[in-house]
Amino acid sequence: GYAVTAEQLLQKKERQLQIRQALQMLNEDDRRVLVMKYSMDWSSAQMATVMDCSAAAVDMRLSRARRRLAEILTEQGFSND
């Protein structure tokens, strides 16, 4: 089996904290679409219904939100090593 070391566990927790902090820096729409997709595991069609737009528009918003999140994480020196 694969044993997780205390250091690896700590690094994972630190990455999760960095991501949560970066999410808080996003605007409400970007944060909402990312939470629906990755925390709630909603499909683009489900999100489109709630957001009253097309699935294609949801996909575009997701792409834009992911890009903005990546920019914030990069600015903060985030490393996914």
Side-chain angles (χ1 to χ4, degrees):
Y2 180 74
V4 177
T5 67
E7 183 178 351
Q8 289 169 323
L9 194 56
L10 182 59
Q11 287 173 345
K12 181 179 179 182
K13 291 289 184 189
E14 287 173 357
R15 285 193 302 269
Q16 290 172 340
L17 179 60
Q18 284 179 298
I19 292 169
R20 278 196 303 274
Q21 290 172 338
L23 279 168
Q24 292 304 312
M25 297 174 73
L26 291 172
N27 68 47
E28 181 65 29
D29 290 338
D30 287 345
R31 186 171 44 253
R32 183 172 75 150
V33 75
L34 290 172
V35 167
M36 283 190 282
K37 177 67 175 177
Y38 297 105
S39 292
M40 300 169 76
D41 199 28
W42 285 14
S43 69
S44 294
Q46 288 171 307
M47 290 189 288
T49 300
V50 171
M51 297 168 68
D52 194 28
C53 63
S54 69
V58 168
D59 292 338
M60 179 60 74
R61 290 178 187 184
L62 272 169
S63 176
R64 207 168 34 233
R66 282 190 293 257
R67 186 172 53 250
R68 287 182 182 136
L69 181 62
E71 289 169 359
I72 291 169
L73 289 167
T74 298
E75 289 169 4
Q76 293 182 339
F78 179 80
S79 174
N80 200 18
D81 299 344

